[in-house]
């Protein structure tokens, strides 16, 4: 009997396929167990609804839920873009002058460690109840800002000293040093901070709406609050599902951006031979 050749062997899913198949399989098993448990134990829907009921509610209330998602997504993405722009700009500025860094870094840390829930009422009072969206934007930006700032600063300081000495010997200007040495060296740090900030911007928008919504906001967080007060738990879970899906989508987009920018030259994204 001849041995089976490598070409005749059944194809196995590669690492990329496994990255999708294994979570999908685990999720299917979890949802199936959840559905079975609720039906067998006859759990009331106002305590724990079945996944099928949550999906049914998601379809039935899709118009209002998608409108709420649009509001939350607008606040989230706006806060994330503002955090990226301000965090990178200030991170670069802080590392260009030691005195500037010593002066302003403690205040950046202060912004990070101050709980959003504590300052939300003040922000709402300052901007007014007629502009709650602006309060939510500011609060979500505060949550998402620091990871970008700290990672940018860390990346700018992590430039290889040997390469820095070469630039000194060549008499490179500050702009050329920044363009060809510091910025490429800091890019992996910036992108890592962006992935963290993308998730935190969702959390910041939701927490801000929980705290500052007061019925004036129309996002998914307020849908959850309103549904909870009415014991409409299936609608609560439907809103939570949309929030999770939206957060995962942002994470995947940022991961794809990081892979596209780093895959040709950085060790974290280069394909390994073994």
């Amino acid at each position: 009997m001849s041995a089976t050749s490598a070409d005749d062997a059944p194809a196995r899913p590669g690492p990329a396929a496994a990255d999708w198949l294994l979570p999908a399989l685990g999720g299917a098993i979890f949802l199936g167990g959840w559905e079975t448990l609720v039906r067998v134990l006859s759990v009331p829907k106002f305590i724990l609804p079945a996944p099928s009921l949550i999906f049914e509610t998601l379809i039935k209330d899709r118009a209002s839920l998608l409108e709420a998602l649009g509001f939350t997504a607008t606040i989230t993405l706006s806060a994330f873009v503002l955090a990226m722009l301000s965090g990178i700009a200030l991170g670069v500025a802080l590392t260009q002058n030691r005195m500037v860094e010593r002066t302003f870094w403690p205040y950046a840390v202060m912004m990070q460690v101050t709980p959003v829930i504590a300052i939300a009422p003040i922000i709402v009072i300052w901007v007014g109840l007629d502009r709650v969206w602006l309060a939510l934007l500011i609060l979500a930006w505060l949550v998402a800002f620091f990871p970008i700032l700290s990672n940018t600063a860390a990346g700018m300081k992590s430039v290889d000293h040997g390469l820095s000495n070469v630039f000194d010997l060549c008499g490179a200007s500050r702009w050329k040093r920044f363009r060809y040495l510091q910025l490429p060296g800091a890019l992996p740090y910036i992108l890592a901070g962006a992935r963290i900030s993308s998730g935190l911007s969702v959390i910041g928008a939701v927490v801000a709406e929980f705290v500052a919504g007061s019925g004036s906001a129309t996002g998914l967080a307020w849908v959850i609050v309103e549904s909870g007060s009415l014991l409409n738990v299936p609608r609560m879970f439907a809103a939570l599902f949309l929030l999770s899906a939206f957060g995962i989508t942002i994470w995947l987009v940022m991961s794809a951006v990081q892979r596209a920018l780093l895959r040709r030259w950085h060790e974290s994204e280069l394909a390994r031979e073994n």
Side-chain angles (χ1 to χ4, degrees), residues 71 75 130-138:
F71 179 86
I75 296 295
D130 57 330
R131 294 188 297 175
V132 172
W133 64 269
L134 181 56
L136 301 181
L137 178 61
I138 294 172

Side-chain angles (χ1 to χ4, degrees), residues 212-267:
S214 66
S216 301
T218 57
L220 285 175
W222 185 252
V223 170
I224 294 173
V225 172
E226 184 183 43
S227 301
S229 64
L230 299 174
L231 290 181
N232 191 348
V233 180
R235 195 163 184 256
M236 290 178 63
F237 272 89
L240 284 172
F241 170 79
L242 286 179
L243 274 176
S244 299
F246 176 61
I248 292 173
T249 300
I250 294 180
W251 174 269
L252 291 176
V253 169
M254 292 309 304
S255 298
V257 171
Q258 177 174 325
R259 192 177 304 112
L261 293 177
L262 302 182
R263 66 182 178 181
R264 295 184 180 275
W265 62 277
H266 196 261
E267 289 292 335

Side-chain angles (χ1 to χ4, degrees), residues 15 40 78 100 102 114 163 181 196 206 213 248:
V40 169
S78 300
V100 173
R102 289 177 175 175
T114 302
L163 292 176
L181 179 62
I196 298 172
V206 171
I248 292 173

Side-chain angles (χ1 to χ4, degrees), residues 157-172:
K157 293 179 179 179
S158 300
V159 173
D160 184 88
H161 289 180
L163 292 176
S164 181
N165 292 335
V166 172
F167 273 70
D168 288 336
L169 291 173
C170 294

Side-chain angles (χ1 to χ4, degrees), residues 270-274:
L270 288 176
R272 301 184 183 277
E273 297 180 355
N274 52 356

